[in-house]
Amino acid sequence: MHDAAPAQPASSGKSPLWTRNFIHIILINTFLFFGFQCYPAALPPYLKSLGASDATLGWLTALANIPALLTRPLAGVLLDRLGRRKVLLSGLTMMTAISLSMYFFPIVGIILMLRFVHGLAWGIANTSSNTVATDIVPKSRLGEGMGFFSLSTGLAMAVSPAVALSLPSDVMFVLATVFMASATVLACCLRYPPVVLTKRKSRFPFEKTAFCPALVVFFSNTSYGAVLTFLAVYAAQRGVGNIGPYFTVYAIVLLLTRPNIGRLVDKKGHRAALLPGLFFLAGALIMLSQSTSLILFLVSAVLYGVGQGAVQTSAQTLAVLYTPKDRIGAANATFFTGFDGGIGFGALLASGLVSLFGYSGMFLCLTACPMLAALLFVIMTSGRRKADQH
């Protein structure tokens, strides 16, 4: 089937946001994230029960993240050349097949190989779903629309790990497969908006207009990689045994703030949200470095949630706002390469800083990352100040 469908009818006044297509792509993204986010929490204990060593378990994250980084640029090129439908369906179909295969092959080596292919498919599917969303959301409401769209991501990341850990492994694999199959069926039924496809054969896989927001989110996510890796150990050192509420509060703040931040971006421009968001991140890290009780950790979680919500929503909309229509896929690939790369780099950087300064000193040192992101953003967008004000 062709990648285009009849455009939404024009309407007077404010462009409609909550269309059938918009609800459709939110559901697709929700099922996609629920199906994928079951694995990071549930696979380690499952592989441990199969006899995997701790060293083997350490490769699980890398086996998903590295191939995703490799396939995002390719996905961006294919989205702009072949259209959205083919690429999105290919990624979702692969993920469904891999989830089903993990159920039938309870062997450590095979699951590790499948996890690598899982990462390849994830890079394709996730880049595609976000590109389709930016096609569907009216440009005049891009910040608001992507704010609501990203709620599906936050909801899945907050809920699916807990759900996966509460279920037997075989049930979890079936549930993840059902989620992925549901996303695939919905993607078959989606009315894909008409897009301009590039006809040039040789194109750089990254989009230059998205470099700035990709760098910003790279440095903002550097601290997130450190939080994911070391927060539990650091909290235990400070006498806080159960740090789970930190992530719950963080997810709730993200869910509550992202739509409002999106509206702010549409009305006031990206600087109004992005720069304060980076300062919130720096404040959260300073608070985290000094936390000695659960209350202080949770205050840090609130600041961190507001900061990440502001930075991610504004940076993602900025990544596609000035992009040529035939390069939207490449722009999304560029943005999410920075997104994933920051998390991985942050975990490695934090490991080195911990050995030098300890956990508290590490989080304090990482306040330099959002400050560097703010400086880069101001320098790289100084010539676009008027355009950014819409």
Side-chain angles (χ1 to χ4, degrees):
M1 186 179 294
H2 195 267
D3 192 58
Q8 294 289 342
S11 60
S12 58
K14 204 172 185 180
S15 301
L17 176 62
W18 289 99
T19 61
R20 170 185 176 272
N21 258 8
F22 184 55
I23 296 172
H24 219 135
I25 192 61
I26 286 178
L27 290 174
I28 290 170
N29 198 60
T30 300
F31 290 140
L32 168 63
F33 265 84
F34 263 95
F36 185 74
Q37 292 298 328
C38 285
Y39 290 96
L43 270 184
Y46 176 64
L47 290 186
K48 191 75 173 175
S49 71
L50 296 178
S53 66
D54 290 337
T56 299
L57 298 181
W59 279 96
L60 280 176
T61 300
L63 283 173
N65 288 351
I66 293 174
L69 286 173
L70 296 175
T71 55
R72 286 194 187 279
L74 174 62
V77 171
L78 293 177
L79 285 163
D80 292 331
R81 282 189 188 167
L82 303 180
R84 313 319 194 210
R85 175 185 289 272
K86 294 177 182 177
V87 184
L88 177 59
L89 284 175
S90 296
L92 292 174
T93 302
M94 287 174 62
M95 294 196 72
T96 304
I98 294 162
S99 292
L100 192 60
S101 298
M102 288 188 187
Y103 175 80
F104 286 108
F105 295 98
I107 303 169
V108 172
I110 292 180
I111 290 178
L112 291 176
M113 288 189 291
L114 288 172
R115 186 64 172 155
F116 182 85
V117 183
H118 209 199
L120 296 175
W122 167 250
I124 295 171
N126 180 233
T127 304
S128 301
S129 65
N130 279 271
T131 301
V132 173
T134 55
D135 292 337
I136 290 172
V137 174
K139 288 296 180 285
S140 62
R141 302 181 71 178
L142 190 60
E144 180 185 3
M146 295 311 293
F148 278 112
F149 175 77
S150 64
L151 291 182
S152 57
T153 302
L155 180 64
M157 294 181 73
V159 176
S160 57
V163 172
L165 287 171
S166 68
L167 298 172
S169 298
D170 55 346
V171 177
M172 186 277 292
F173 286 131
V174 172
L175 180 64
T177 302
V178 169
F179 278 132
M180 294 312 312
S182 300
T184 306
V185 171
L186 287 172
C188 290
C189 302
L190 185 68
R191 296 172 57 194
Y192 294 80
V195 296
V196 178
L197 301 180
T198 184
K199 301 197 180 291
R200 284 166 280 194
K201 296 295 183 183
S202 178
R203 294 303 303 268
F204 187 53
F206 296 107
E207 172 53 41
K208 62 181 181 180
T209 59
F211 278 156
C212 174
L215 279 175
V216 167
V217 81
F218 176 90
F219 285 110
S220 68
N221 271 6
T222 296
S223 63
Y224 189 56
V227 169
L228 286 175
T229 305
F230 292 107
L231 181 64
V233 179
Y234 172 57
Q237 185 190 71
R238 290 298 177 101
V240 179
N242 179 18
I243 198 59
Y246 180 98
F247 292 102
T248 302
V249 170
Y250 167 72
I252 291 172
V253 172
L254 276 181
L255 294 175
L256 293 177
T257 58
R258 273 185 168 177
N260 292 322
I261 290 170
R263 295 188 189 100
L264 176 65
V265 168
D266 292 332
K267 291 180 180 179
K268 301 293 185 180
H270 297 85
R271 284 175 180 81
L274 196 148
L275 289 175
L278 291 169
F279 283 101
F280 268 99
L281 287 181
L285 291 169
I286 293 172
M287 173 68 75
L288 190 58
S289 73
Q290 304 303 312
S291 294
T292 55
S293 67
L294 181 59
I295 294 298
L296 293 177
F297 275 101
L298 296 184
V299 172
S300 173
V302 172
L303 295 175
Y304 202 76
V306 173
Q308 282 287 71
V311 172
Q312 291 176 11
T313 301
S314 51
Q316 187 174 3
T317 57
L318 183 60
V320 299
L321 187 63
Y322 302 108
T323 302
K325 292 182 179 179
D326 65 341
R327 295 285 288 167
I328 296 293
N332 275 292
T334 303
F335 175 81
F336 282 102
T337 298
F339 189 99
D340 291 339
I343 295 175
F345 174 73
L348 294 175
L349 176 62
S351 298
L353 292 174
V354 165
S355 65
L356 293 174
F357 305 109
Y359 296 113
S360 177
M362 176 267 291
F363 285 117
L364 195 60
C365 288
L366 287 177
T367 58
C369 291
M371 293 298 93
L372 177 59
L375 179 62
L376 288 172
F377 176 76
V378 170
I379 293 173
M380 296 179 72
T381 62
S382 58
R384 245 186 191 150
R385 177 175 289 275
K386 292 183 179 180
D388 189 46
Q389 300 299 323
H390 306 321

